[in-house]
């Protein structure tokens, strides 16, 4: 009998430390499946962030090199320039990517750096206990926006993917989510496409994934999934933001 | 005033507000997150208070620079990795002669390290991790009460000398709760006037604040000026305390949380008749070199205990100028010893040296 | 006198609050106190703990490697702390949730069935304060009068009813252990 649901070979047997209902667990699994299916385990290098996914190297059975908070795109650039035929990806949270790492992110995209970024947007700083993130939406309460984010004092949230889509060096940018089976499937396809375009030398690719943080949202996993659909996607619309590959067949 | 039970990080925030600090710029990092969280809650309620969570530590320290130039009492805080990023701004604060308070609730390092309490940022704090010829006043508190008092005092010294003041705590101090008598709130009107601040040249000649001094002779003059200031601080602001120093045959030297644990150890050892004492530097810069030299006239054996690989040790040796014998015991990485464990190490040294 | 107590349980069982209340009561009685909550990634695992030291002398370290008392609200806490308690020390167990018992024979054990007890309270809440009542009865670290005063200072700000229900919870636990 064919085994349909097993642990991807590129994930170690270590159980995840993520909270119940956390999107990071799903996203790890999807990346693992794509690595298996594309047979990349021996030629892919990952750069984990400072964030809840800081321990990603305990879960992925691939080479991974740590970056300090926000600098993943620069570290990945170093990797890629030394090893241009390897697949290099960063795995970053919204704080890592769109606050402290904004400069690195924008410049990697502008250079058309041939790397892939998996950008996990959960609207908060998960690791440090639920502070406001650059992607926290207006009105959202966090431990450092205790009265709800207001544009007057805390400013507007940042749609970094849209900004990176303007950069001439970026080739493919898509925003997905992992809150429903259909969205999970789309996310997997997007990751696979980003890796494939990197292999074909298209330049900077990015998949932004809306992901639940039930712990800091103070919602149960079911409500978190709903909140992504009902609230988060209206600020961060799902879909392809840029695609230079010209390949229409998996535009979805 | 009655005491209140407060967490160290909250104590820092409250003491700052009572010292007239109305501007806080920071970025989350464990184990000091409760400082920005407290400020985000309290500052908007205080008269003229502003809290900003910046996009990075680099941005936050430069917001501090701007607010300080504008004449505000201003603070930022972080832990190891974030303090590394603030070094650029600290160098500029010194060069620009701007007051500010910077708190480091340090953690295990280097790199990401961990979030356990550690004293591995002593060099960074006292030697200046940024570029150029500068010094910063550094306090090494050992209790929540001292956190309150020294944070508060930090604002006064920063203004008095127009220089940044660092408070070097650690994860344990930031997280633990202790009874604290909070300092009196200063009314904003009573804060020292800043006749150098940039407020718009209304009714006076315009002025500027800068660190770029292309002419080496002028830069040298600026450096000498800074040096005279640092010398004055060294003469007037050194703080330390001693415990059982009078008849000690061996002196333990430790700061911050390590000193507190060492003190517990010394208390035990004294009960057993072991003649050890403690010298605890409270200002890590300026360092109590003279106090150490003075003690070395009577005591020949020194035991330096730090939660790192031996950083303050170098200052102790400088202070001893070759007098006395120094034994170092360090536990890096965020390991916390019990008073009993450190007592055992001290007493084995004591008996090895045939002091008892 | 220098007594160390560890409170441990799931995040959400109110163990940090127990530590805070005990330390505040000790402070009001003029003792030296420290209270050190667990923090950061340690908390994410789902258990939280808090170490309180109450002492007549200056406190050197807020950490307890061998506490006199452990107040354990769930099974993972029992597994984690049963071997740390000093010989002859005392363990308070939330027997509604903890099925195992310490394997050591040198501990005094008090079992408090919190889930059953809170059914007697109007709100069915406040298990942590019930346990605190049982704890101060047997440890004698602070008096119930002081603890009631602390509950009043802590809870009556928003709603006096919250104070009253906490006082009932405290006394329920205090009277449960004979
Ligand atoms: C220079 C520096 N500043 C701050 C931190 C602390 N820190 C670690 S992760 C993080 C943010 C985490 O948020 P995000 O990137 O959104 O990831 P998440 O945990 O939500 O997945 C912060 C501020 C650090 N490690 N280094
Ligand atoms: S804190 Fe949030 S992001 Fe971090 S593991 Fe838990 S649910 Fe996931
Ligand atoms: Mg995040």
């Amino acid at each position: 009998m064919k085994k349909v649901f097993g642990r991807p070979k590129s994930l170690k047997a270590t159980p995840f430390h993520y909270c119940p209902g956390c999107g990071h667990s799903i996203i790890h699994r999807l990346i693992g499946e794509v690595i298996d299916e594309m047979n990349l385990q021996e030629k892919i290098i990952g750069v984990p962030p400072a964030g809840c996914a800081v321990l990603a190297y305990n879960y992925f059975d691939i080479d991974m090199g740590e970056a300090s908070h926000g600098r993943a795109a620069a570290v990945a650039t170093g990797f890629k320039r030394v090893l241009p035929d390897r697949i290099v990806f960063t795995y970053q949270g919204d704080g890592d990517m769109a606050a402290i790492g904004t400069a690195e992110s924008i410049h990697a995209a502008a250079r058309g750096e041939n790397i892939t970024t998996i950008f996990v947007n959960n609207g908060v700083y998960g690791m440090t206990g639920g502070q406001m993130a650059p992607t926290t939406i207006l009105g959202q309460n966090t431990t450092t926006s205790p009265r709800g984010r207001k544009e007057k004092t805390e400013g507007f949230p940042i749609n970094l993917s849209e900004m990176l889509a303007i950069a001439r060096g970026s080739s493919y940018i898509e925003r997905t989510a992992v809150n429903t089976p259909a969205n999970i499937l789309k996310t997997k396809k997007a990751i696979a496409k980003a890796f494939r375009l990197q292999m074909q030398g298209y330049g900077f690719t990015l998949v932004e994934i809306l992901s639940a943080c039930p712990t800091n949202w103070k919602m149960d996993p079911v409500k978190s999934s709903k909140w992504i659909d009902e609230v988060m996607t209206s600020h961060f619309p799902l879909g392809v933001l840029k695609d230079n590959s010209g390949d229409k067949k998996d535009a979805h | 005033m009655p005491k209140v039970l407060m967490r160290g990080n909250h104590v820092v925030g409250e003491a700052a507000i009572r010292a007239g600090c109305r501007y806080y710029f920071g970025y989350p990092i464990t184990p000091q997150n409760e400082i920005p969280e407290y400020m985000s809650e309290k500052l908007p309620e205080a008269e003229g208070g502003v809290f900003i969570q910046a996009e990075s530590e680099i941005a936050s320290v430069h917001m501090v620079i701007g607010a300080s130039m504008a004449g505000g009492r201003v603070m930022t805080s972080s832990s190891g990795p974030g303090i590394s990023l603030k070094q650029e701004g600290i160098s500029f604060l010194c060069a620009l002669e701007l007051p500010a308070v910077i708190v480091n609730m340090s953690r295990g390092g280097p790199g990401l390290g961990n979030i356990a309490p550690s004293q591995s940022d002593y060099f960074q704090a006292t030697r200046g991790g940024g570029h150029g010829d500068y010094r910063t006043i550094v306090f090494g508190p050992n209790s929540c009460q001292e956190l309150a008092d020294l944070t508060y005092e930090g604002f006064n010294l920063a203004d008095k000398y127009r220089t940044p003041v660092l408070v070097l705590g650690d994860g344990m101090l930031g997280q633990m709760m202790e009874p604290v008598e909070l300092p009196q709130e200063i009314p904003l009107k009573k804060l020292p006037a800043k006749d150098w601040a940039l407020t718009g040249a209304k009714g006076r000649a315009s002025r500027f604040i800068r660190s770029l001094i292309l002419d080496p002779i002028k830069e040298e003059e600026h450096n000498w000026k800074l040096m005279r200031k640092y010398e004055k601080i060294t003469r007037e602001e050194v703080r330390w305390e001693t415990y059982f120093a009078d008849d000690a045959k061996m002196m333990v030297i430790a700061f911050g949380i390590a000193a507190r644990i060492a003190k517990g150890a010394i208390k035990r050892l004294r009960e057993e008749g072991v003649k050890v004492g403690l010298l605890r530097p409270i200002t890590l810069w300026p360092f109590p070199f003279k106090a150490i030299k003075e003690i070395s006239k009577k005591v020949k054996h020194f035991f330096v205990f730090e939660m790192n690989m031996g950083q303050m040790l170098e200052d102790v040796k400088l202070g001893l100028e070759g007098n006395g014998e120094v034994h170092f015991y360090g536990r890096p990485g965020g390991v916390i010893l019990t008073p009993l464990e450190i007592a055992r190490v001290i007493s084995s040294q004591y008996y090895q040296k045939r002091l008892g | 006198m220098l007594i160390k107590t560890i409170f441990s349980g799931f995040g959400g069982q109110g163990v940090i609050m127990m530590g805070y209340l005990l330390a505040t009561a000790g402070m009001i009685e003029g003792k030296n106190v420290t209270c050190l909550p667990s923090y950061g990634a340690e908390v994410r695992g789902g258990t939280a703990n808090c170490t309180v030291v109450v002492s007549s002398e200056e406190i050197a370290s807020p950490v307890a490697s061998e506490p006199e008392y452990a107040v354990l609200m769930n099974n993972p806490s029992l597994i984690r702390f049963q071997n740390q308690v000093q010989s002859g020390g005392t363990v308070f167990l939330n027997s509604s949730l903890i099925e195992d018992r310490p394997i050591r024979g040198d501990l005094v054990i008090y079992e408090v069935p919190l889930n059953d007890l809170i059914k007697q309270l109007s709100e069915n809440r406040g298990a942590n304060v019930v346990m605190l009542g049982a704890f101060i009865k047997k440890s004698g670290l602070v008096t119930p009068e002081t603890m009631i005063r602390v509950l009043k200072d802590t809870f009556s700000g928003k709603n006096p009813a919250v104070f009253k229900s906490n006082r009932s919870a405290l006394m329920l636990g205090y009277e449960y252990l004979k």
Side-chain angles (χ1 to χ4, degrees):
Chain A
M1 210 176 85
K2 198 172 148 237
K3 200 167 157 200
V4 281
F5 192 83
R7 178 171 46 80
K9 168 159 117 318
S10 53
L11 286 186
K12 296 173 185 165
T14 323
F16 293 137
H17 71 284
Y18 302 110
C19 309
C22 175
H24 281 302
S25 306
I26 306 169
I27 298 165
H28 279 29
R29 194 184 164 83
L30 294 179
I31 296 173
E33 288 174 2
V34 171
I35 293 175
D36 283 8
E37 285 161 24
M38 296 175 76
N39 203 13
L40 297 176
Q41 194 178 9
E42 293 176 353
K43 50 182 172 227
I44 194 161
I45 296 166
V47 182
C52 277
V54 67
L55 297 175
Y57 42 71
N58 286 344
Y59 311 127
F60 285 101
D61 198 359
I62 59 171
D63 279 3
M64 294 199 100
E66 178 189 280
S68 64
H69 191 27
R71 315 298 177 216
V75 173
T77 298
F79 268 120
K80 189 72 182 186
R81 295 297 176 117
V82 174
L83 302 166
D85 63 339
R86 256 37 73 87
I87 309 305
V88 177
F89 75 100
T90 70
Y91 185 110
Q92 301 176 257
D94 39 82
D96 198 78
M97 177 86 189
I100 193 167
T102 316
E104 285 78 358
S105 306
I106 291 180
H107 286 273
R111 282 194 307 273
E113 207 61 52
N114 195 21
I115 58 172
T116 298
T117 286
I118 309 295
F119 169 23
V120 181
N121 177 356
N122 59 12
V124 286
Y125 284 24
M127 170 113 216
T128 43
Q131 292 84 7
M132 190 183 78
T135 48
T136 296
I137 60 176
L138 291 179
Q140 192 179 340
N141 277 65
T142 68
T143 59
T144 51
S145 58
R147 296 165 186 81
R149 182 174 198 156
K150 290 193 221 44
E151 65 268 33
K152 272 244 155 142
T153 41
E154 285 84 20
F156 292 97
I158 285 179
N159 288 48
L160 189 71
S161 294
E162 279 82 350
M163 290 163 67
L164 295 180
I166 300 171
R168 281 169 59 195
S170 61
S171 66
Y172 165 64
I173 295 181
E174 175 161 1
R175 186 183 289 119
T176 66
V178 284
N179 61 333
T180 64
N183 280 340
I184 290 174
L185 203 65
K186 278 189 191 166
T187 303
K188 183 172 168 183
K189 278 195 185 155
I191 295 169
K193 175 163 176 172
F195 286 169
R196 182 164 54 76
L197 295 186
Q198 182 183 155
M199 282 153 69
Q200 293 168 357
Y202 272 93
F204 189 80
T205 51
L206 178 143
V207 183
E208 174 180 340
I209 305 168
L210 305 187
S211 167
C213 175
T215 302
N216 289 304
W217 294 358
K218 311 221 174 335
M219 293 176 198
D220 62 38
V222 177
K223 194 150 175 248
S224 300
S225 290
K226 270 215 185 116
W227 195 76
I228 292 181
D229 270 340
E230 288 165 8
V231 184
M232 228 179 154
T233 49
S234 64
H235 294 79
F236 298 103
L238 303 184
V240 178
L241 298 168
K242 182 172 191 178
D243 188 353
N244 281 355
S245 68
D247 86 84
K248 292 279 170 279
K249 81 176 187 313
D250 42 56
H252 38 252
Chain B
M1 262 251 298
K3 290 190 173 182
V4 283
L5 186 76
M6 270 180 106
R7 196 188 272 248
N9 283 333
H10 293 165
V11 168
V12 168
E14 186 57 35
I17 292 172
R18 283 165 184 253
C21 168
R22 288 294 178 278
Y23 312 97
Y24 175 92
F25 308 102
Y27 189 77
I29 187 167
T30 313
Q32 63 83 53
N33 290 317
E34 296 78 9
I35 302 178
E37 286 168 0
Y38 191 85
M39 292 314 233
S40 73
E41 179 78 40
K42 301 285 176 182
L43 272 179
E45 288 167 6
E47 183 192 347
V50 174
F51 165 86
I52 293 183
Q53 180 183 310
E55 70 275 27
S56 69
E57 290 85 352
I58 301 181
S60 63
V61 75
H62 288 88
M63 291 175 186
V64 166
I65 289 178
S68 185
M69 283 188 183
R73 277 205 158 173
V74 54
M75 178 166 84
T76 186
S77 64
S78 190
S79 184
I83 298 289
S84 292
L85 293 179
K86 291 189 198 286
Q87 294 303 324
E88 177 188 59
I90 294 173
S91 165
F92 275 77
L93 283 164
C94 287
L96 300 167
E97 296 196 78
L98 294 172
V101 172
I102 299 149
V103 179
N104 180 0
M105 290 299 176
S106 63
R107 55 188 235 172
L112 275 180
N114 59 33
I115 56 174
S118 160
Q119 300 186 317
S120 53
D121 296 349
Y122 181 93
F123 280 153
Q124 185 198 50
T126 60
R127 298 300 187 269
H131 64 282
D133 223 349
Y134 72 87
R135 290 292 192 175
T136 46
I137 298 175
V138 184
F139 285 128
N142 76 338
S143 65
C144 290
Q145 184 62 55
E146 247 186 29
L147 259 186
D149 298 342
L150 295 177
T151 303
Y152 190 88
E153 180 65 1
F155 283 96
N156 294 333
L157 287 191
D159 277 353
K160 178 172 171 193
Y161 292 103
R162 286 182 57 183
T163 198
V165 173
L166 250 83
V167 178
L168 182 60
D170 63 72
M172 190 145 88
L173 209 50
Q175 296 298 325
M176 72 193 270
M177 299 178 214
E178 272 189 306
V180 175
E181 196 178 326
L182 290 164
Q184 273 284 311
E185 173 133 28
I186 310 178
L188 295 187
K189 285 190 227 73
K190 293 234 169 106
L191 291 179
K194 295 181 176 172
D195 58 7
W196 48 264
L198 305 184
T199 52
K202 186 171 176 220
R204 59 162 170 80
S206 66
R207 54 188 177 227
F208 54 82
I209 298 178
R210 56 84 174 87
S211 72
L212 178 77
I213 307 173
L214 289 172
D215 179 348
I217 295 294
K218 294 239 164 71
E219 176 67 41
E220 187 186 38
E221 261 169 40
H222 182 56
N223 273 262
W224 290 136
K225 180 182 171 213
L226 292 179
M227 184 167 153
R228 283 191 297 278
K229 165 158 86 180
Y230 299 146
E231 279 174 352
K232 185 167 193 290
I233 295 171
T234 308
R235 277 193 310 276
E236 295 178 10
E237 307 297 346
V238 189
R239 296 171 194 205
W240 74 95
E241 81 172 7
T242 57
Y243 178 66
F244 279 121
D246 289 346
D247 63 342
K249 292 184 181 172
M250 180 184 263
M251 282 297 280
V252 177
I253 304 182
F255 74 95
I257 214 88
R260 195 177 159 130
I261 297 169
K263 198 169 174 185
I266 289 166
K267 189 161 170 271
R268 268 166 198 270
L269 291 169
R270 279 281 169 174
E271 282 162 13
E272 296 165 16
V274 178
K275 292 197 169 160
V276 285
L278 174 74
L279 185 145
R280 176 172 77 94
I282 297 171
T283 48
L284 305 179
W285 191 88
F287 192 76
F289 289 116
K290 275 196 193 141
I292 288 184
K293 183 136 195 236
E294 205 49 42
I295 285 178
S296 74
K297 290 179 186 158
K298 295 191 301 182
V299 183
K300 293 295 160 220
H301 297 275
F302 294 86
F303 184 107
V304 175
F305 170 49
E306 293 178 78
M307 286 155 69
N308 60 37
M309 300 194 297
Q311 300 192 12
M312 181 188 67
L313 173 65
E314 296 192 358
D315 281 334
V316 171
K317 287 183 175 166
L318 282 174
L320 286 173
E321 296 179 6
N323 295 317
E325 218 180 292
V326 188
H327 181 82
F328 174 70
Y329 187 76
R331 295 302 293 263
V335 172
I336 308 161
L337 285 193
T338 64
L340 181 62
E341 285 168 307
I342 188 72
R344 287 197 188 116
V345 190
I346 296 169
S347 92
S348 88
Q349 267 305 304
Y350 186 84
Y351 288 108
Q352 261 179 41
K353 300 285 181 244
R354 303 188 187 285
L355 299 176
Chain C
M1 188 263 298
L2 189 143
I3 302 293
K4 300 196 171 187
T5 307
I6 285 185
F7 296 92
S8 179
F10 291 125
Q13 279 184 309
V15 295
I16 310 288
M17 182 51 93
M18 291 164 93
Y20 172 82
L21 294 170
L22 174 63
T24 307
M27 173 181 80
I28 287 176
E29 292 189 358
K31 292 163 182 139
N32 291 305
V33 295
T34 60
C35 172
L36 180 66
S38 54
Y39 62 93
E42 209 182 334
V43 184
R44 179 127 348 104
T47 66
N49 68 73
C50 178
T51 304
V52 176
V53 186
V54 179
S55 171
S56 52
E57 308 138 32
E58 210 175 313
I59 298 167
S61 170
V63 178
S65 51
E66 295 183 346
E68 278 80 5
Y69 295 103
V71 179
L72 308 174
M73 301 290 278
N74 66 359
N75 221 50
S77 301
L78 175 73
I79 292 164
R80 175 149 177 216
F81 291 111
Q82 61 176 347
N83 292 327
Q84 280 193 28
V85 180
Q86 48 175 258
S87 187
T90 304
V91 171
F92 294 79
L93 293 178
N94 173 9
S95 55
S96 305
L97 280 188
I98 305 182
E99 285 170 13
D100 301 342
R101 290 295 172 265
I103 26 184
R104 299 167 50 181
D106 59 343
L107 301 176
V108 180
I109 297 166
Y110 292 110
E111 299 182 11
V112 188
L114 293 173
N115 289 2
D116 297 337
L117 286 175
I118 56 168
K119 287 188 190 130
Q120 301 175 31
L121 296 170
S122 52
E123 307 249 329
N124 277 0
R125 290 193 300 140
N128 59 337
V129 180
V130 177
M131 186 58 121
L132 196 60
F135 172 77
I136 63 170
K137 170 84 165 265
K138 286 297 166 188
S139 67
L141 275 181
V142 295
T143 66
E145 291 73 32
T146 312
M147 192 53 88
I148 288 170
R149 190 180 141 194
V150 174
L151 291 175
K152 192 167 181 191
D153 292 348
T154 310
F155 294 112
S156 56
K158 286 174 194 131
N159 181 352
V162 181
F163 158 60
K164 287 197 182 121
S165 65
N166 273 293
R167 185 179 54 191
S168 311
L170 185 84
M171 292 322 290
L172 180 65
Y174 193 81
E175 269 140 31
Y176 175 75
L177 288 183
K178 294 294 171 241

